[in-house]
Amino acid sequence: MNYSKDDAIRIVTKYSEVYDKELNGRNLLFLCMDKHKAVSYIEFAFHDYNFMHLTGLKPACDGLKATDFYRRCLGHKLSPDDFAFAPDGTTPMKLDVLPLVICRNLSANMVGDFNSPHPKLYTEKAAGSTKAYIGFVKDVLTSEYVPNTVVKEDMRMSVTDYKRVIAVYRKKRGEEKYAERVYLSGKIDWSRIQYPKVYSYLPKPEG
């Protein structure tokens, strides 16, 4: 689909509000199961300065920081003069799937290590589905995995050793423990599942 700047403003404004409600200032815990039924985990963190990287839009001038972009989206004050589309043509694809991935569990049923032939795409971890995924890199200051890109592609084409997501939990930054479950996979024999020790406090679903 071809997008005008007005289209882009409409989309990123709407989904900045969803991001603010569901992800900003929060951590997501993904519990994942491999083919041997072993359960592992990975955590992702979401900040206000991460949102712009998911939109595919670039600042039109060096003065517009990622946090400023986010505030302008939330305040319905983003101008066509504030941004440009990515020169590599990826912006429309990111805007296409933004409604899918910006939600409380990222619409993700797989997690894996990024290993793609795309020469201009750098990320480290991926969480998503056969339709799209979010890429994550480790923040050098906080050592958290934070989002840095969105890709419209079957995630299995871009990762190695992907694992099935069996549950996702969410907490606000600063909270000690996870308590809110935002995703649960079906067709799991929970009586045979052993959570990682650090998260053994989480109650297992019944059934």
Side-chain angles (χ1 to χ4, degrees):
M1 179 175 178
N2 293 323
Y3 290 97
S4 67
K5 282 198 169 186
D6 286 340
D7 292 330
I9 290 173
R10 175 180 52 81
I11 293 169
V12 299
T13 296
K14 178 178 180 178
Y15 286 95
S16 69
E17 295 172 351
V18 180
Y19 183 91
D20 201 59
K21 177 183 177 182
E22 304 289 4
L23 297 171
N24 186 36
R26 297 177 186 267
N27 289 58
L28 293 183
L29 169 67
F30 281 72
L31 296 177
C32 310
M33 185 172 66
D34 66 17
K35 60 184 178 181
H36 303 295
K37 310 298 183 183
V39 177
S40 59
Y41 70 90
I42 187 167
E43 293 182 81
F44 301 121
F46 298 83
H47 304 268
D48 54 1
Y49 55 82
N50 299 133
F51 178 73
M52 185 176 72
H53 301 297
L54 305 182
T55 66
L57 303 179
K58 306 298 180 182
C61 58
D62 293 337
L64 184 64
K65 297 180 180 179
T67 51
D68 296 328
F69 175 89
Y70 185 59
R71 293 191 189 101
R72 291 186 189 185
C73 288
L74 286 176
H76 294 247
K77 294 181 179 179
L78 189 67
S79 163
D81 295 330
D82 290 332
F83 66 89
F85 285 18
D88 60 5
T90 57
T91 298
M93 292 185 288
K94 294 179 188 297
L95 294 176
D96 276 348
V97 297
L98 210 60
L100 175 66
V101 298
I102 301 300
C103 63
R104 58 179 53 192
N105 71 322
L106 315 183
S107 297
N109 55 29
M110 294 180 284
V111 169
D113 295 322
F114 184 75
N115 184 23
S116 173
H118 299 303
K120 296 182 180 180
L121 178 58
Y122 172 75
T123 196
E124 297 172 17
K125 301 289 184 180
S129 66
T130 57
K131 296 180 180 179
Y133 62 88
I134 294 183
F136 295 84
V137 293
K138 183 166 283 191
D139 189 301
V140 295
L141 296 178
T142 66
S143 295
E144 300 170 314
Y145 280 110
V146 296
N148 78 319
T149 190
V150 169
V151 181
K152 184 181 180 181
E153 184 178 76
D154 184 337
M155 199 185 93
R156 295 171 298 179
M157 305 298 292
S158 299
V159 302
T160 57
D161 193 30
Y162 66 87
K163 299 173 183 178
R164 177 185 178 185
V165 176
I166 60 172
V168 181
Y169 291 83
R170 181 174 69 167
K171 71 175 182 179
K172 293 181 180 179
R173 189 163 299 113
E175 291 181 339
E176 182 179 356
K177 292 184 176 182
Y178 288 94
E180 181 188 12
R181 190 173 66 217
V182 295
Y183 172 78
L184 188 66
S185 178
K187 298 181 180 179
I188 297 288
D189 183 356
W190 293 100
S191 66
R192 303 182 65 180
I193 296 297
Q194 184 173 354
Y195 283 179
K197 186 176 180 180
V198 66
Y199 294 114
S200 59
Y201 66 83
L202 291 169
K204 290 184 184 178
E206 296 181 1

